Amino acid sequence: DTGVSQDPRHKITKRGQNVTFRCDPISEHNRLYWYRQTLGQGPEFLTYFQNEAQLEKSRLLSDRFSAERPKGSFSTLEIQRTEQGDSAMYLCASSSDRGGGLAAYEQYFGPGTRLTVT
Amino acid sequence: RKEVEQDPGPFNVPEGATVAFNCTYSNSASQSFFWYRQDCRKEPKLLMSVYSSGNEDGRFTAQLNRASQYISLLIRDSKLSDSATYLCVVATGGFKTIFGAGTRLFVKA
């Protein structure tokens, strides 16, 4: 399967613990995005990378959140000192400049990591 | 005011009906627009990009009105399989993309 993969699919953690999620984008996709989605809402932008460079971060992304994409391939999202309000689905998506125009914005999503903070 | 706002829904329609979804965006500098579909407990999937002149893909028609900062999606001859949440997406500066909250559609036999 050559789609976007995320690991783990589910994570239950206690408040105050650190968690790390991984995303593997579609091969050769140069852009990678992280979103958070809660019930009844659309995905909320967190950050995105172009290759290994993190180009934008949401103001909603507190200093407890950090994302990396060290070699421009897979990415990790770490949440430190988790809070109950962090419980959500964390989605990763990737896109490619190939094709240009609107095609460069078309994102392909992974299945998400569901985080539950108890 | 939210950057991207959609009809709150849900929409309940019979099979064969025509249904329209509306979306407004607040950033006049927004450049690119999309509709995504999200099935229950699944990830969003691209339905269609929205071109400036409007575009059609089978039963689906998307329109953009930059002056009014408004995007629409029309589904004709609704099928049971169209039941899903429809997400309006706007790309602002660079490649940052903002999703609306979505409008849930239920198509009933």
Side-chain angles (χ1 to χ4, degrees), chain B:
Chain B
R1 181 184 173 190
K2 290 184 179 179
E3 289 188 74
V4 178
E5 296 201 64
Q6 296 188 239
D7 294 330
F11 290 6
N12 292 282
V13 302
E15 270 187 297
T18 295
V19 60
F21 300 103
N22 301 313
C23 172
T24 58
Y25 59 95
S26 60
N27 187 343
S28 59
S30 299
Q31 299 174 345
S32 304
F33 310 91
F34 308 86
W35 285 99
Y36 278 70
R37 169 192 169 128
Q38 188 171 26
D39 293 296
C40 191
R41 298 185 182 278
K42 297 286 189 181
E43 70 274 18
K45 291 186 179 179
L46 179 68
L47 179 64
M48 57 196 302
S49 303
V50 185
Y51 293 90
S52 295
S53 56
N55 48 302
E56 187 174 308
D57 182 3
R59 298 182 293 110
F60 299 83
T61 301
Q63 296 282 345
L64 168 64
N65 184 325
R66 286 187 185 271
S68 301
Q69 296 180 203
Y70 169 90
I71 309 152
S72 66
L73 175 69
L74 188 76
I75 304 177
R76 291 181 298 278
D77 189 24
S78 300
K79 311 292 185 190
L80 293 174
S81 58
D82 293 333
S83 297
T85 296
Y86 291 83
L87 298 159
C88 173
V89 182
V90 175
T92 58
F95 286 89
K96 178 182 177 181
T97 46
I98 306 298
F99 282 70
T103 303
R104 192 99 181 256
L105 172 66
F106 294 97
V107 181
K108 299 182 177 181

Side-chain angles (χ1 to χ4, degrees), chain A residues 44-59:
Chain A
E44 176 185 35
F45 174 83
L46 294 179
T47 188
Y48 87 91
F49 293 83
Q50 178 135 336
N51 301 312
E52 64 275 11
Q54 188 173 19
L55 295 188
E56 188 152 357
K57 288 173 59 173
S58 168
R59 289 170 295 167

